[in-house]
Amino acid sequence: MNELQCRLARTALGWGVRDLAKIANLSTQTISRFEKGDELRPTTLKKLREVFEAAGIEFIDESDGKGVGVRLAKASDPQKTHDAE
């Protein structure tokens, strides 16, 4: 996951920086720094990715000259996003 995918995932879920920080138990400064391009510790990056994936986000890697992205997984449990909060 990179900084663009983080912003895209937040937007897809309707989360602000404060929402993500609260759910991931991180500071808003950490989220903002990452989204501006600063590197995070591997454990922090893993935590963010796990929070997004638990909320139904799938990360799309770059392939065939197409850039990275995100998409919402087809949730089998409609409470999945809510439970992450």
Side-chain angles (χ1 to χ4, degrees), residues 5-59:
Q5 289 173 304
C6 184
R7 287 192 306 271
L8 290 170
R10 276 195 310 100
T11 300
L13 295 168
W15 293 354
V17 171
R18 287 184 192 141
D19 300 315
L20 177 56
K22 182 178 179 183
I23 294 163
N25 197 28
L26 297 169
S27 72
T28 57
Q29 293 87 354
T30 297
I31 305 299
S32 295
R33 281 193 348 262
F34 178 60
E35 290 186 353
K36 289 178 183 175
D38 288 358
E39 288 189 36
L40 296 181
R41 293 180 184 150
T43 54
T44 304
L45 190 58
K46 182 181 180 207
K47 180 187 279 191
L48 279 174
R49 186 177 181 109
E50 288 172 349
V51 165
F52 283 131
E53 289 174 342
I57 293 291
E58 292 181 356
F59 293 94

